[in-house]
Each structure stands twice: as structure tokens, then as C-alpha cells.
Amino acid sequence: MKFVSTRAETEPRSFSEAVKIGLAPDGGLFVPSELPDLSEEFSAWEGESYPTVCYRFFKHFATDIEDSDLESLIFKAYSTFDNEHLAPLIKLDDRISVLELFHGPTLAFKDYALQLLGRLYERQVALTGEAINVLGATSGDTGAAAINGLLGRSGVNIFILYPDGRISSLQERQMACTGESNVFPIAVEGSFDDAQRELKAVFGDRAFSQSTKLSAVNSINLARILAQCVYYIYACLQISEERRENTVFVVPTGNFGNVLAGWMASRMGMKVAGFRVATNQNDILNRFFNTGEYAVGSASQSLAPSMDIQVASNFERFLYYALGEDGHRVRGVMANFSSTGVFRADDQSIVDSMSSSRMTDAEICETIESVYQKYGYICDPHTACAFKDLKAFEHSVILATAHPAKFPETVLEATGQTATHRSLEKLKSREIVKYPLHADANTIKAFIESKQTTP
Ligand SMILES: *Cc1c(COP(=O)(O)O)cnc(C)c1O
């Protein structure tokens, strides 16, 4: 299997190469050259463990990795999770179930992809003998999950930019209290968008990114999307085939990576009724799936900070499929979007491919409270967004994207309950090690250069 760019101007790459590079050189995102039809195979996976399903799935894509290597790195990646099912499906009532995706080491769904990506990077370093520098920007959960996936791995340094003072103190501690010497949490002045802009400028310096073997860990990395397909499939395998066809996955959404993965799994033959994009007040995607107009707004801080985005970077992958896998057309659309800030879908079927909803901060609090009152179940502020307007669906599977203990203030205010988790309690007594820098590409490059070692 080869991987091509959504903008059609990159030579097809192997799985390992596409994972290593992250962003395609033409500015596009990597996608499989064709999606396999797995509809016949799925039923044979029933009753298998999560890592086994993951392995069977990845065999179709990671064709340049030996089966035994692939299997062992997948099993190692998921050995760090704290629930035997990894992604348990909890029934709240006859119409609503919750797929809990917070049983990894940093208690957010991003662990499912980043534990695996960390192992893939390590394998790459072992094969080539060349060190890799991983760079990412985070508004909270990605950074912690990426760091945890790469903790102490030899030959891999990890640099994560985050907006100083704008992520929760627990999120900061998850990045800055690891005690590992290959981890560099960089607190930059300004907002997440400032951090993201400088990150792009650093990657834009080809000479620098090649000489330092820079790799992107943001949700644009292809391996992350593929790893996220697995829990949708795993959830479906626990639902009867008949019910599956009436099941809608409801996904708290920011950069659009999570829900896109489910949608791609459905294009590979996983039969479900559909997908619902649940946004917070930063609702560019809700506006798109209602009006067909995708228009940049400004992001404002909300109670669900990991969904506070201006534009959704994975939307380009959706467009690629929605526009008939025509990379040249995507290239034109993206060029136009970057100059005007607007994309209009000219085909209603694109707009109809998912439904959507939006929640304000006040509704998030009310929802956490009402879900607790009704079911005795405590959900985090991101997950809460998914409970909106589910009446029309026969069966909703809500993706619980973070553990409530990551957002104790909001949970306490809404329910009067104290949400805790032992892995977070441990962090509170540890020393914080972070690197405050100006949000400026040259400063960041100089910092990365000053930390170079050989594996
Ligand atoms: C990252 C994140 C999201 C948004 O996921 P996307 O893949 O960016 O749409 C939602 N909830 C939580 C808790 C997250 O960490």
C-alpha cells in the first residue's frame, strides 16, 4: 500500500515514509492511495482483543513493516492502558451508549494513536540510526499524549509548543513533570494560533527541517488517523449487525481527526447509520454541515479547550474524498481557501455526509449536571458537547474523549463531585520543567538546534 498527498503533487510514499514525514512536501496530507474494502473481513474479527483488531487492520496499510514487528509494536503500545477492553462501551440507556476513550496513560483519546506513533518513531530510529526531532503544538491534550508516547525513547527528542497560561495546570503538569531528558515543553507567549503559526514556519524552512529530521506529531499524521479507525471498528464489533445500521457515532470535534477516522472506516465497509460532529462555541464545522459554507472565524476560549480551533486541519482529508479523490481540485480549493478564508460546497451531498451540533459553555455545564442526575455518570466538558439533540437517533454512541478528572473545576461546578485519577494526583508533587520562549520561528529553531544529540 502506498500513500499519496491530498494535493496530488507528491510522489507516493510507503507507510513508514509517510509517517516519518508527517506533512506531504506539497503542503497536503497523506491518505492511502486506495481504501481497502474490509466488509467481508470485519465479521471474522468479532471476539478478538483490541490489539488484535488493530493489528489485522494495520496489516492492510503498514505493508512495509514485517508482520511480526508490526504485531509486537502494536501489542506493546496498548499494554500501557488501564482497562482490559481498552475502549469499553458503556450503556447509559436503550438509546445512548458511551465509548470510553480515556483509558490510556494521559486520559484522553489521543493516547490511542500516540502510543502507537511513539513506537513507530522508535522503530524508525533503530532502523536508520538517525535521531528524530518531533515537533508539535498543543492546546492541551495532544502535547501530553505525544510526550507520553515518546517518553525516554532513545534517539527521539520531543518539542511541544503550548500557549503559556492558557492550558489547564494539570495539562501542563502532564507535559512538564515527566522527568525525562528527551522532553521539551515550550511555553510560548500568545495564543494557540500563534504557536501553530510559528510551528508551520519552522516546518516551512525545508533546510532546517531536513537537517534536524523534524517530524510533525499533530493530527495531520496519517498514522494517527488510521489508529483512530480501530476503536470505531472495535465498538461496532460489540453491537449486533442489525443495531449497527441504526447507530450514529457522536464525536466531540476540534481538528476533525477523530470523526474523520470513523467516517473513513465506514468507507472501508463498516456499516453504520452515520456520524454527528459535536462542536463547542467554536463552530466552524457546525456551520459547514448546516450551510455548506466553511469560513474561518476567530477561536475563543471555552470549557472544552481541546476543541477551541479556528480551522480544522483534517478537513482537507474529508474534502479529498468528498471531491472524488481529485488532488488537483483539492489543491485549487485549498489555495482559494487560504486567500479568501472561505470554501463553499457546491454539492449538497457533501454537506449531508455528516450531521452536526454546537454547544455553548452554559449548555456544557447544564449537560454535565443533567447526565450526572439522570445516569449517575460523570462526563468531561468535551464529551458533554456530544449529548445535544440526540432524540432523532435510534442508537447514539458518544465518544468520551477525556477523563473527567482532567477538568476537575468544571465537573465540580456542574455536579458538586470531585473527579480524581491517581495518575494525575501523582503529578502534583513533581517539579515542573518547562522552557519559556518567544513565539518566533527563529528562536524555536535555535532552541531545537541547541538540544541535538546523537542516538
Ligand atoms: C483533541 C480533542 C478533541 C478534538 O478531537 P479532533 O480529532 O481534533 O476533532 C476532543 N476532545 C478532547 C478531550 C481532545 O483532547
Side-chain angles (χ1 to χ4, degrees), residues 107-110 138-142 145 171 219 224-225 228 231-232 251-261 277-278 285 304-309 312-314 380-383 399-403 406-407:
L107 313 181
F109 82 89
K110 297 189 170 75
T138 187
S139 54
D141 296 321
T142 305
Q171 285 177 325
S219 58
R224 289 187 58 182
I225 301 295
Q228 290 172 181
Y231 46 70
Y232 287 93
V251 189
T253 297
N255 265 322
F256 203 64
N258 198 356
V259 69
L260 177 86
V277 173
L285 289 166
S306 301
M307 291 154 58
D308 291 345
I309 53 105
S313 38
N314 272 294
D380 98 291
H382 301 81
T383 306
L399 272 62
T401 51
H403 193 286
K406 289 193 93 166
F407 305 93

